[in-house]
Amino acid sequence: MPRPSSDLSSYAAIGDGRTIALIDRRGSIDWLPLPNLDSVPVFARILDADNGGCLEITPVGEFEVRRRYVARTNVLQTTFVTPTGTARLTDAMVTGVAGRLPWAELARRVEGIDGEVAFTWRVQPGTRLNTAAPWAEQRDGATILRVGETSLAVVGQGHGTPTTVDDGAGPRVEGSFTTSPDSRHLLVVVATDGEPLHLPHPENVDRSIDRTIEGWRAWSREFGYDGPWAATVQRSALALKLLVYSPTGAIAAAATTSLPENPRGGKNWDYRFAWVRDLAYTAHALVRFGLREETHAAISWLLRTIRDNGPDLHVLYTLRGTLAQNVTEHEAPGWRGIGPVVTGNPAHGQLQLGVYGDLFAICRTYVDSGNVLDVATGRMLAAMADRTCDEWRQPDSGMWELPEIRHYTSSKMGCWQALRDAVVLAEAGAIPGSAERWASERDRIAAWITEHGWSEEIGAYVMHPGSTDVDSSVLLHAESGFDRGERMSRTIDVLTERLGAGDLLYRYTGMDQEEHTFVASAFWRAGALACVGRHDEAVAAMDDLVARANDVGVFAEMISEHDGSSWGNIPQALSHLAVIGAALTIRDLVPEEELDGH
């Protein structure tokens, strides 16, 4: 049995607004939670090579691969070139006439281009991280696979004669077919959870693939970006669109759980939750792209969720807008045997003061783009601004969700940002409250950072007072406007010296011994260089970094400085947000003649 890919950069992502599948270069889907992105996954060979489950369509024998997304879509095309012929596989999570389907429908279409290519295929559900035992049954001539409450059916056209096999490793449906010039073959997997199962007609699904392509292109036509690295920016926007959980408008931090940040394991987190921080950056990008519907849905979801789960502002929420519960560790080996495999995230109960800045940034972005806040939101924001005034002096866990509770400099910068934006919103009449008080505390925070967050000894903003450690998250506050002067410029140099690995950057002091470089940090550095006026360096850094994406433009969370391999959860929202943020900042700040044709 083939094993999951040994490099996470092998994976491309497709999705339907409810869940996401990861497909490797051999045509194997090694990750697909059903019915929702945050469900315990039915297909998870990426985390459990033996019992995780997969969906394969692969040529028999040797082959070479070329692949790409269909232009301006999240539909993937993989071309297999073999000694006997060439064939093309198109993969889509299909949509319906009125948008997202009420069930999950994966369509895999193989077209013969020249010669003949023999394919085998397999649909083998996993054990949901060893929590359920799959079984198979025959209904109306179709094979039905069940895993717990999830029901799946396999249908197709020109896909050979399906056979149901159970040789002790759990039931699977498999078959084979051979392409010829202009031949067309279709394999469809449809799934529901705790509800009746619809069996689609293959002819309708075949048309649905083309309709799904046009749906993505219609969305892309609404996407407005005129600037450097346009193809990279659009691909990152499409990656973010995959992470929008359409039933609510929430935005997942990543599509996966438990993909390790280092070979020793331990830092294996579940990122299928909605972070306030990520949503703030996403809303800022979506507004600037002119994407009104996603912006309104995301902001409305967040504000409603905060009110429903108040009065505290939490770091993250589930995709359905509830509070995250405790972490569950599963009996599964993990990617490359690197555990643990978990669902849930322990950051949900932490105090992170920077989240106040994220919340106010979202709301100011929304108002600045010509929208109006409702009365309840205005009152809530006024109360949050007052809380920021009271709480900014407290130590917290910082942006990196650390167990050490300290006075992190970037957290104070986030509080400064919150009160700066609160004052702007109040003066615009968008929220009630005491703008004078907020302005006064804003200035106190700035004075505190100047006195305690800066080290003349090392010439940089430090991670926390009394330390010479440095932290890449302060780079975000070149973009926020806290500092675009000499101190931020000197800080960039110290971060580059102490955390840099060529064009890459570690998160903070000591991480080179614990994990790989953090993709977002490197792009933050590129954007910060533009903010402090170092335009040539910003453009050069961006050029180097965009080349770090995999062959279809997808970024994971981390990149190894040693071999360029990908690590951590994938696709990672913060990585793609950093790509977009840096490109927008450079476009806005660097004169066109200095971009030299970008």
Side-chain angles (χ1 to χ4, degrees):
M1 179 186 298
R3 314 302 284 177
S5 176
S6 60
D7 186 353
L8 295 176
S9 65
S10 170
Y11 289 103
I14 62 172
D16 62 355
R18 187 173 176 184
T19 191
I20 292 175
L22 295 183
I23 309 170
D24 77 0
R25 291 176 59 83
R26 300 166 304 184
S28 176
I29 295 177
D30 293 341
W31 175 262
L32 177 56
L34 294 168
N36 300 308
L37 180 60
D38 57 355
S39 299
V40 180
V42 172
F43 299 98
R45 187 165 67 173
I46 199 170
L47 297 177
D48 187 342
D50 295 324
N51 300 309
C54 63
L55 302 106
E56 294 180 339
I57 292 184
T58 308
V60 176
E62 297 180 356
F63 57 86
E64 296 180 356
V65 170
R66 301 190 304 268
R67 65 177 183 170
R68 66 181 182 93
Y69 284 107
V70 176
R72 305 186 308 281
T73 80
N74 279 316
V75 174
L76 184 70
Q77 287 189 334
T78 305
T79 300
F80 297 102
V81 180
T82 76
T84 61
T86 304
R88 180 172 56 240
L89 167 64
T90 300
D91 279 307
M93 296 291 299
V94 300
T95 54
V97 175
R100 178 178 54 83
L101 291 169
W103 56 83
E105 193 168 292
L106 169 72
R108 316 197 74 185
R109 182 168 69 195
V110 178
E111 298 166 277
I113 297 175
D114 59 58
E116 295 185 344
V117 181
F119 280 86
T120 62
W121 60 265
R122 172 165 60 123
V123 177
Q124 181 161 6
T127 60
R128 275 193 155 170
L129 304 180
N130 289 309
T131 64
W135 79 97
E137 58 186 56
Q138 298 296 320
R139 291 289 180 90
D140 299 326
T143 300
I144 309 299
L145 298 163
R146 302 193 191 274
V147 190
E149 292 296 310
T150 302
S151 299
L152 305 98
V154 180
V155 299
Q157 192 171 55
H159 62 312
T161 303
T163 303
T164 303
V165 179
D166 191 344
D167 53 11
R172 65 182 184 273
V173 184
E174 58 186 31
S176 62
F177 59 88
T178 300
T179 66
S180 58
D182 299 322
S183 66
R184 204 173 181 97
H185 315 263
L186 186 69
L187 182 70
V188 183
V189 177
V190 60
T192 56
D193 193 72
E195 59 189 51
L197 182 63
H198 167 73
L199 296 181
H201 293 289
E203 297 88 350
N204 292 338
V205 178
D206 196 34
R207 289 194 297 270
S208 294
I209 295 173
D210 299 322
R211 182 172 60 241
T212 301
I213 290 172
E214 180 50 39
W216 280 114
R217 286 177 169 167
W219 182 85
S220 291
R221 285 194 289 272
E222 295 298 316
F223 170 90
Y225 175 75
D226 180 19
W229 307 285
T232 300
V233 170
Q234 184 168 64
R235 178 48 51 196
S236 287
L238 282 160
L240 289 176
K241 176 63 173 171
L242 283 177
L243 293 166
V244 175
Y245 183 67
S246 61
T248 63
I251 297 169
T256 52
T257 179
S258 306
L259 295 178
E261 298 176 6
N262 64 72
R264 294 174 298 280
K267 292 185 175 182
N268 293 20
W269 310 120
D270 188 350
Y271 279 2
R272 298 170 300 160
F273 292 89
W275 266 256
V276 175
R277 173 193 64 207
D278 290 17
L279 197 148
Y281 304 154
T282 303
H284 188 57
L286 294 176
V287 163
R288 295 168 82 179
F289 292 149
L291 297 171
R292 302 177 301 275
E293 295 173 14
E294 289 87 353
T295 305
H296 182 84
I299 291 174
S300 297
W301 171 83
L302 178 65
L303 295 172
R304 183 173 60 251
T305 297
I306 292 171
R307 289 198 297 268
D308 289 347
N309 295 281
D312 293 334
L313 176 59
H314 296 269
V315 175
L316 60 93
Y317 300 90
T318 70
L319 300 181
R320 273 159 297 286
T322 60
L323 295 181
Q325 301 302 313
N326 295 328
V327 174
T328 299
E329 186 169 331
H330 297 272
E331 292 292 331
W335 181 70
R336 289 189 182 177
I338 304 170
V341 172
V342 303
T343 51
N345 192 294
H348 66 89
Q350 289 184 342
L351 175 64
Q352 294 183 26
L353 294 172
V355 75
Y356 288 117
D358 299 329
L359 172 62
F360 277 91
I362 294 170
C363 296
R364 181 175 173 185
T365 293
Y366 191 65
V367 170
D368 285 351
S369 63
N371 299 297
V372 179
L373 300 177
D374 60 283
V375 173
T377 294
R379 291 170 179 164
M380 181 191 73
L381 290 175
M384 289 293 181
D386 288 337
R387 291 190 69 168
T388 305
C389 290
D390 294 334
E391 293 185 1
W392 74 264
R393 293 175 177 81
Q394 295 184 29
D396 72 333
S397 294
M399 176 176 177
W400 303 122
E401 301 164 359
L402 300 171
E404 299 84 11
I405 308 300
R406 291 179 172 140
H407 291 280
Y408 292 103
T409 300
S410 66
S411 294
K412 310 304 182 188
M413 291 176 172
C415 291
W416 173 89
Q417 180 184 12
L419 294 179
R420 186 271 313 268
D421 289 344
V423 170
V424 171
L425 290 170
E427 291 177 345
I431 65 174
S434 176
E436 285 188 7
R437 183 196 180 196
W438 301 338
S440 178
E441 288 298 323
R442 175 201 62 198
D443 295 343
R444 286 192 183 94
I445 296 170
W448 185 98
I449 296 168
T450 299
E451 180 177 355
H452 301 288
W454 172 262
S455 169
E456 195 59 46
E457 176 187 348
I458 66 168
Y461 289 110
V462 291
M463 191 172 188
H464 55 84
S467 168
T468 57
D469 291 348
V470 290
D471 173 5
S472 69
S473 68
V474 301
L475 294 171
L476 289 165
H477 294 285
E479 172 66 27
S480 78
F482 178 81
D483 187 345
R484 294 189 174 188
E486 180 188 358
R487 282 192 168 187
M488 185 60 74
S489 184
R490 292 172 66 186
T491 298
I492 294 171
D493 291 335
V494 174
L495 289 170
T496 302
E497 176 188 353
R498 295 191 174 194
L499 305 183
D503 56 319
L504 301 171
L505 206 65
Y506 288 93
R507 290 191 296 157
Y508 55 90
T509 300
M511 287 301 96
D512 58 328
Q513 302 300 311
E514 295 186 20
E515 63 188 34
H516 295 291
T517 69
F518 197 68
V519 171
S521 294
F523 282 101
W524 295 341
R525 176 181 173 273
L529 283 166
C531 288
V532 300
R534 294 162 62 172
H535 297 164
D536 289 347
E537 293 174 75
V539 173
M542 194 72 178
D543 282 340
D544 290 341
L545 290 169
V546 297
R548 293 278 190 173
N550 75 357
D551 61 314
V552 290
V554 173
F555 280 102
E557 182 180 9
M558 296 183 174
I559 294 174
S560 168
E561 69 163 295
H562 306 294
D563 61 10
S565 59
S566 296
W567 290 77
N569 288 302
I570 185 172
Q572 178 86 358
L574 199 58
S575 298
H576 287 282
L577 286 165
V579 173
I580 293 169
L584 289 169
T585 297
I586 293 171
R587 181 198 66 176
D588 293 345
L589 296 179
V590 177
E592 188 173 347
E593 60 270 18
E594 295 183 34
L595 289 171
D596 192 27
H598 284 80

